[in-house]
């Protein structure tokens, strides 16, 4: 099913890998290589090996060359080409090796043995609760000027107020820094600020603290009344931000109703969300406000809101941190609460590692932040051991940027621009670009970059200028994403994204929202999410990428997901949903953009509407999944399907799935 390679064109099928070989190949080890890099804090291990749907790679890490004393060992599906230990290894010298194993029990030969070292930073800078913000910033400068450094916080409570849209720590071009919070409590008193910003940095490790905002940066309120004709909603503030205008730029403001039976969850019979105009909020009393909807198309949805509904108003969504165009960044053991902000926003990164991050619902009453948005990562990210509860938006949103053609300078040269400039990566010669027509939903051209001519200033402002290997004919320059030509760099679309051993419960929307290649999602527990546990999509009406290829979704639990009426009406699958979002101006596309998807050995319980659904896809295998009903007596809608295979599909194989559900429904439906 799978064949290794960063990208194979839309017109090509992935070829069989080891299934066609006489013997299992030996992995070619890449990094770390025999102390090539002298400063390593939290290594990631990478290799190259052909893959298919029946093979895995076993890794062993030991403190001796004979591997008698293992410190870490794991098995990971061969669709992934790297591995990250869940916990940091202690300083010292280590050896590692690999071998390929098959699902049927076959074992290949071990690879060569390579060694590496974990080292402590050469300098340590101490921070205490008495350290001023100005002194902390000076320490950050000194750390960046060191060969390697640790910023060590004494355990305590720290309050930060760095100024409007400012940051506590800011590094550009820094490397080899550990920021260890020492188990401290960090409180941000400026809602527009970040704890850190990094750009073009390498080998940075940050964690071991809790983080919150004071005052609470979102609003908890009760609906007093609605006016569907004029698009207004009146509410009484219970807690959180209570002024009319939010004290920073808002890129998206919305509200949603909470489930009275469980405030961690959205109300199943209310709109998934209602967009609000951040400039038109009116304070009508000491604790009452009037919100205005900016889109008349949503005015009728106000009729579904009821007086007495408890709502959350989110002022989406400035993050804890920005990480742009960095490599080897590890976030570990961070607990985020009293926040609507995600851990992180950024893009263009390589080998991002998110380990043991937590967002728990405060008192099981209040929403936690969404996951995070990372776009156009060249390799990764890796997400493991994370816990999200009462998620106010999607969980981690793994995106690939859309670019629009600013101008065509010659037949083979274009200048393009993206919307979220903080996700603009450094393009490289050899990257694969896809020019895509939003009016018919199909690619115009796939080509490679021959020369990059982007200045550093343009890079920071979201531009790219490149010469490509083929003539670019028939494109439509312009900034209207509904009709003008889209450009996607699929070489930067999160190749090697891995999510393992996570837990996501009680979310307003999706669990993992993914646009990635060579991706693995496994051993993760999804529960009580209003929409799909895993959603592979594109978004031609937004900035979030094209499609996914070579994806394995296996050994996950997806319980009681997709249980909002809004989600069910859209026929979003409660477990795994794979489809192409249509452009609002495009009635339908038959393009099979997603390729080579393996969905197996997942358990889907108490599901609604559709358990697993695929459309606009080629080469899919759905096998050995279990569908169970433990608590539910009926469905939200009359028409329900266990496995839905849409009309716009090719080579979809459905085998050996088990249905243990007494409710009446169609087990497998093919359009």
């Amino acid at each position: 099913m799978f064949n290794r390679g960063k990208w194979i064109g839309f017109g090509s099928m992935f070829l069989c890998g080891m299934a066609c070989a006489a013997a299992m190949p030996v992995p070619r080890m890449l990094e770390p290589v025999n102390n090539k890099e002298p400063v390593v804090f939290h290594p990631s291990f990478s290799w190259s090996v052909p893959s298919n749907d029946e093979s895995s790679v076993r890794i062993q890490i030991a403190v001796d060359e004979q591997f008698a004393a293992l410190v870490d060992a794991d098995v990971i599906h061969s669709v992934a080409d790297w591995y990250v230990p869940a916990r940091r290894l202690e300083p010292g010298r280590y050896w590692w090796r690999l071998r390929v194993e098959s699902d049927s029990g076959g074992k290949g030969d071990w690879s060569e043995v390579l060694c590496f070292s974990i080292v402590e930073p050469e300098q340590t800078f101490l921070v205490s609760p008495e350290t001023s913000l100005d002194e902390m910033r000076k320490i950050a400068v000194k750390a960046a000027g060191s060969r390697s450094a640790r910023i060590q916080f004494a355990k305590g409570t720290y309050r930060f107020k760095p100024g409007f849209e400012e940051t506590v720590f800011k590094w550009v071009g820094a490397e080899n820094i550990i920021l260890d919070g020492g188990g401290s409590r960090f409180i941000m008193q400026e809602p527009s600020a970040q704890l850190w910003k990094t750009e073009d940095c390498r080998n940075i490790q940050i964690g071991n603290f809790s983080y919150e905002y004071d005052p609470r940066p979102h609003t908890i309120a009760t609906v007093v009344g609605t006016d569907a004709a004029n698009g207004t909603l009146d509410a009484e503030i219970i807690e959180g931000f209570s002024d009319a205008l939010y004290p920073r730029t808002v890129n998206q403001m919305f509200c949603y109703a909470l489930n009275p039976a469980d405030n961690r969850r959205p109300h199943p019979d209310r709109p998934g969300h209602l967009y609000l105009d951040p400039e038109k909020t009116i304070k009508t009393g000491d604790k009452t406000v009037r919100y205005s909807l900016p889109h008349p198309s949503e005015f009728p949805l106000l009729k579904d809101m009821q007086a007495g509904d408890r709502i959350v108003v989110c002022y989406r969504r400035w993050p804890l941190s920005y990480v742009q165009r960095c490599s080897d960044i590890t976030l570990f053991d961070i607990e985020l609460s009293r926040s609507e902000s995600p851990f992180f926003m950024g893009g263009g990164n390589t080998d991002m590692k998110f380990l043991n991050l937590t967002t728990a619902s405060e008192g099981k009453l209040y929403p936690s932040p969404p996951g995070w948005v990372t776009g156009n990562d060249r390799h990764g990210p890796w997400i493991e051991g994370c816990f999200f509860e009462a998620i106010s938006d999607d969980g981690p949103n793994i995106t690939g940027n859309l670019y629009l053609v600013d101008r065509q300078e010659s037949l083979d040269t274009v200048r393009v621009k993206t919307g979220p400039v903080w996700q603009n990566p450094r393009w490289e010669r050899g990257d694969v670009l896809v020019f895509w027509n939003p009016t018919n939903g199909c690619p115009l051209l796939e080509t490679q970059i021959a020369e990059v001519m982007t200045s550093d200033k343009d890079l920071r402002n979201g531009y790219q200028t490149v010469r490509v290997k083929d003539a670019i004919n028939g494109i439509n320059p312009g900034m209207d994403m509904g009709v003008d030509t889209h450009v996607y760099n699929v070489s930067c679309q999160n190749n090697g994204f891995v999510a393992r051993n996570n837990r996501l419960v009680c979310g307003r929307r999706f669990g993992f929202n993914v646009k990635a290649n060579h991706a693995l999602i496994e051993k993760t527990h999804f529960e009580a999410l209003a929409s799909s546990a895993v959603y592979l999509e594109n978004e031609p009406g937004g900035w979030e990428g094209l499609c996914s290829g070579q994806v394995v979704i296996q050994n996950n639990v997806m319980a009681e997901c997709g249980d909002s009426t809004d989600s069910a009406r859209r026929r979003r699958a409660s477990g795994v949903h794979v489809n192409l979002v249509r452009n609002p101006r495009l009635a339908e596309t038959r393009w099979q953009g997603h390729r080579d998807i393996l969905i197996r050995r997942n358990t889907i319980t108490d599901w609604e509407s559709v358990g697993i659904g695929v459309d606009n896809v080629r080469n899919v295998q759905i096998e050995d999944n279990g569908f169970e009903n433990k608590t539910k007596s009926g469905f939200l809608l009359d028409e329900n399907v266990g496995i839905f295979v849409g009309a716009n599909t090719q080579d979809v194989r459905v085998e050996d799935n088990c249905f243990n559900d007494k409710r009446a429904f169609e087990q497998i439906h093919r359009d």
Side-chain angles (χ1 to χ4, degrees):
M1 181 174 180
F2 297 111
N3 181 48
R4 297 308 305 165
K6 289 298 181 186
W7 182 263
I8 296 179
F10 291 120
S12 303
M13 288 294 293
F14 291 104
L15 304 175
C16 174
M18 285 174 290
C20 302
M24 295 182 190
V26 177
R28 181 169 66 89
M29 304 170 77
L30 299 177
E31 295 286 349
V33 180
N34 292 335
N35 294 321
K36 175 183 175 182
E37 172 53 60
V39 178
V40 176
F41 294 151
H42 199 117
S44 55
F45 301 82
S46 61
W47 57 84
S48 176
V49 67
S51 72
N52 65 33
D53 56 351
E54 300 296 329
S55 67
S56 298
V57 173
R58 181 176 294 275
I59 183 170
Q60 291 184 341
I61 305 169
V63 294
D64 66 303
E65 200 168 356
Q66 293 72 40
F67 291 87
L70 296 178
V71 295
D72 196 5
D74 212 328
V75 177
I76 188 166
H77 193 282
S78 59
V79 72
D81 58 4
W82 66 314
Y83 174 74
V84 176
R87 294 287 181 183
R88 187 190 178 206
L89 303 177
E90 294 297 319
R93 198 176 187 193
Y94 297 88
W95 284 259
W96 68 292
R97 64 181 180 178
L98 308 168
R99 76 179 178 199
V100 173
E101 300 181 356
S102 70
D103 283 1
S104 58
K107 297 178 176 61
D109 294 333
W110 286 108
S111 67
E112 63 179 322
V113 175
L114 297 181
C115 65
F116 65 96
S117 294
I118 302 292
V119 301
E120 288 288 358
E122 292 182 356
Q123 287 189 271
T124 297
F125 300 93
L126 300 178
V127 177
S128 73
E130 290 73 37
T131 305
S132 70
L133 180 61
D134 184 59
E135 290 173 321
M136 289 184 195
R137 287 171 169 166
K138 289 178 180 178
I139 287 173
V141 173
K142 291 178 182 179
S146 305
R147 184 175 181 273
S148 63
R150 177 193 298 274
I151 300 174
Q152 182 66 57
F153 282 74
K155 187 173 183 179
T157 298
Y158 296 78
R159 297 181 181 274
F160 304 117
K161 198 167 185 178
F164 184 75
E165 295 188 353
E166 293 294 334
T167 187
V168 178
F169 299 101
K170 184 176 182 179
W171 290 298
V172 178
E175 61 181 17
N176 306 330
I177 297 173
I178 295 176
L179 192 158
D180 190 326
S184 296
R185 180 188 182 198
F186 292 168
I187 301 174
M188 178 60 72
Q189 296 179 298
E190 168 53 65
S192 69
Q194 279 73 52
L195 182 58
W196 77 89
K197 294 181 181 179
T198 57
E199 183 175 352
D200 292 314
C201 293
R202 187 190 66 84
N203 194 28
I204 308 292
Q205 183 173 321
I206 298 174
N208 193 18
F209 58 84
S210 66
Y211 185 86
E212 63 190 78
Y213 284 88
D214 185 22
R216 185 185 299 280
H218 51 256
T219 301
I220 309 294
T222 300
V223 174
V224 175
T226 63
D227 183 344
N230 294 302
T232 61
L233 183 152
D234 289 289
E236 182 176 359
I237 307 300
I238 300 173
E239 188 176 348
F241 179 73
S242 59
D243 291 339
L245 297 179
Y246 207 67
R248 63 160 166 77
T249 302
V250 173
N251 65 334
Q252 196 176 85
M253 178 177 167
F254 62 88
C255 73
Y256 63 96
L258 297 176
N259 189 331
D262 186 347
N263 282 178
R264 298 175 302 165
R265 305 179 63 178
H267 200 300
D269 299 321
R270 303 292 187 262
H273 64 267
L274 294 172
Y275 287 113
L276 305 175
D277 190 329
E279 303 299 324
K280 293 184 178 180
T281 305
I282 300 172
K283 195 158 186 177
T284 56
D286 182 44
K287 284 291 185 178
T288 56
V289 293
R290 175 168 294 167
Y291 299 108
S292 294
L293 277 60
H295 307 304
S297 61
E298 290 192 344
F299 288 6
L301 297 177
L302 285 168
K303 296 178 181 178
D304 294 331
M305 302 292 281
Q306 303 294 319
D309 284 347
R310 177 171 288 196
I311 62 172
V312 177
V313 180
C314 294
Y315 306 88
R316 181 174 169 172
R317 97 193 150 191
W318 264 230
L320 163 65
S321 65
Y322 280 113
V323 183
Q324 299 166 268
R325 294 178 289 277
C326 295
S327 64
D328 191 11
I329 307 295
T330 305
L331 308 186
F332 71 100
D333 296 340
I334 301 174
E335 181 178 353
L336 187 56
S337 64
R338 287 183 62 90
S339 171
E340 65 155 11
S341 299
F343 285 101
F344 150 85
M345 293 177 78
N349 301 299
T350 297
D351 288 11
M352 290 286 295
K353 293 163 276 191
F354 304 98
L355 306 175
N356 306 305
L357 307 181
T358 300
T359 63
S361 172
E362 183 184 350
K364 304 297 182 184
L365 292 174
Y366 300 108
S368 70
W372 56 81
V373 178
T374 182
N376 279 21
D377 283 2
R378 191 166 290 277
H379 190 228
W382 183 288
I383 304 172
E384 183 161 8
C386 297
F387 172 66
F388 297 86
E389 182 183 41
I391 311 163
S392 60
D393 205 327
D394 299 334
N397 190 352
I398 311 302
T399 79
N401 275 24
L402 154 69
Y403 292 77
L404 295 170
V405 180
D406 181 54
R407 62 176 181 263
Q408 184 171 3
E409 299 185 344
S410 66
L411 198 58
D412 62 356
T413 303
V414 291
R415 173 182 165 95
V416 300
K417 187 179 190 305
T418 188
V421 299
W422 39 269
Q423 289 185 344
N424 193 24
R426 294 185 182 275
W427 287 8
E428 297 177 1
R429 183 183 178 193
D431 283 355
V432 176
L433 300 185
V434 175
F435 291 77
W436 192 79
N437 184 351
T439 63
N440 65 13
C442 295
L444 286 166
L445 171 69
E446 177 184 327
T447 186
Q448 288 182 291
I449 295 176
E451 181 183 3
V452 178
M453 297 171 284
T454 307
S455 68
D456 285 343
K457 179 180 179 181
D458 277 355
L459 189 70
R460 289 191 296 271
N461 291 326
Y463 289 95
Q464 301 278 355
T465 302
V466 295
R467 181 174 60 84
V468 299
K469 292 185 176 181
D470 301 284
I472 311 169
N473 295 305
I475 69 171
N476 190 26
M479 293 292 111
D480 186 339
M481 65 179 64
V483 296
D484 295 327
T485 302
H486 294 193
V487 183
Y488 298 91
N489 186 333
V490 294
S491 297
C492 292
Q493 191 169 288
N494 311 298
N495 295 292
F497 163 57
V498 175
R500 312 174 78 208
N501 302 307
N502 303 289
R503 186 175 178 88
L504 297 88
V505 301
C506 298
R508 187 181 70 83
R509 297 220 314 168
F510 311 109
F512 281 105
N513 191 347
V514 178
K515 304 91 180 169
N517 303 308
H518 305 295
L520 174 64
I521 301 172
E522 68 172 2
K523 302 175 184 177
T524 290
H525 184 98
F526 304 90
E527 182 179 342
L529 303 173
S531 195
S532 311
V534 177
Y535 188 19
L536 303 186
E537 65 158 348
N538 74 335
E539 192 175 358
W543 298 99
E544 294 191 3
L546 192 57
C547 55
S548 298
Q550 292 191 268
V551 180
V552 175
I553 303 168
Q554 65 177 13
N555 301 319
N556 302 285
V557 173
M558 304 168 180
E560 203 174 338
C561 294
D563 64 348
S564 73
T565 304
D566 178 69
S567 182
R569 285 172 181 160
R570 297 170 187 255
R571 296 207 72 154
R572 286 178 174 150
S574 58
V576 180
H577 190 199
V578 184
N579 84 318
L580 297 184
V581 176
R582 274 75 164 160
N583 189 294
R585 304 182 195 185
L586 180 64
E588 184 176 2
T589 175
R590 297 188 66 82
W591 177 51
Q592 297 160 352
H594 298 293
R595 304 287 170 86
D596 308 304
I597 313 296
L598 174 62
I599 306 169
R600 68 175 179 182
R601 298 198 295 264
N602 301 286
T603 300
I604 303 173
T605 63
D606 297 332
W607 52 280
E608 292 283 4
S609 183
V610 176
I612 295 174
V614 298
D615 205 355
N616 304 98
V617 68
R618 181 185 300 180
N619 194 18
V620 181
Q621 191 157 328
I622 304 172
E623 64 179 25
D624 296 326
N625 299 285
F627 297 78
E628 298 182 65
N629 174 34
K630 294 182 177 180
T631 64
K632 290 184 181 263
S633 60
F635 287 96
L636 289 173
L637 302 180
D638 293 332
E639 296 181 4
N640 299 277
V641 181
I643 298 173
F644 174 84
V645 180
N648 300 326
T649 60
Q650 182 177 330
D651 298 325
V652 178
R653 297 170 298 286
V654 181
E655 301 173 347
D656 301 324
N657 297 281
C658 179
F659 297 89
N660 183 21
D661 197 324
K662 297 179 181 179
R663 300 173 296 184
F665 67 96
E666 186 177 4
Q667 292 186 356
I668 301 171
H669 176 89
R670 293 179 182 265
D671 267 2

